Amino acid sequence: MSRRFVLTCFAVLTVSFVMRAQTDSLPVQALSTATHRAGISWVKLNDPYLSSLEYSGMGLRVELSEQRYLRATDKRFSMLNRLTGLAAITLNPASTAEIETVAGAYAFGVRYHYRPVDRLVIMPGGSLEADFGVRVNSRNVNNPVNLDIAGNLNATLGARYQLPVFRHTVLLDAFAEVPVVGIMFVPYPGLSYYEMYISKQLSEAIFLSSLHNRQGLKTGFSVDIPFRHSTLHAGWRYHLLKYRGNGPVVTFTEHSLLLGISYDVFRSSGRKSKFPAGYVKVL
């Protein structure tokens, strides 16, 4: 009886060790965490090329972002892709004229994950960003359209905290982003695009940007609340930007309230593949 019991225990332990070894030998996969969110923005704009007055109004903002570790076995570095869009209508103080704005931006960044204490991650890093926007003021007969084109190298800083709430974990996230150096297109007020093209002065509207002629700040706070089959994302975003070429200063201010979802993505490079048994998501 005791011999049979010993053999049974030995067999169970052997099978357990073999199964654990097989699980540990599975390749670790890096999951991408995607966040899709949209919301309302309150915008203030002063573009001297279109008008000397400050315009204010509301708009719709959409943001798509995706992040993952560069290597699944190294939790020190992660990458972030972000695509954003804004459509806004702003009015002058007398509400007699409006400026329509349609803008988009794409950014790619890398961050270092520093964990000073349990559940807290500090993420310094940098990003490359390309901005493109169109502003239209139909009341300006001579110069009704202005383009907002820029490329920036940004310094970024993020913080993330995992807050235990009952049997779930709520994710708190904050970030700040500052443009450091780049290039921008800023035409001089009063000179039309046609005149710049005919006189071959378009190149004079292109400037190297740094902290002396382009100051900005993007910052925000968000919370991810897990539910049974999905994760709710809610956030606040603030954007302040001031820049100038050879003329007056252009200013832009935006406050946004955003709502969306977050989910994990596993890519199999076009091949049919089951969800990996060993995976790592950005935390």
Side-chain angles (χ1 to χ4, degrees), residues 32 69-70 74 84 86-87 93 120-121 129 171 193 204 210 265 273 282:
S32 296
Y69 287 120
L70 292 177
D74 188 353
T84 64
L86 171 68
L120 175 64
V121 183
E129 183 176 15
L171 193 63
Y193 282 74
E204 297 181 6
S210 61
V265 180
S273 178
V282 176

Side-chain angles (χ1 to χ4, degrees), residues 131 150 152 179 184 209-216 241-243:
D131 302 323
N152 299 297
M184 60 182 179
S209 63
S210 61
L211 297 178
H212 77 283
N213 60 356
R214 187 179 182 93
Q215 303 90 35
L241 180 62
K242 295 182 180 181
Y243 61 91

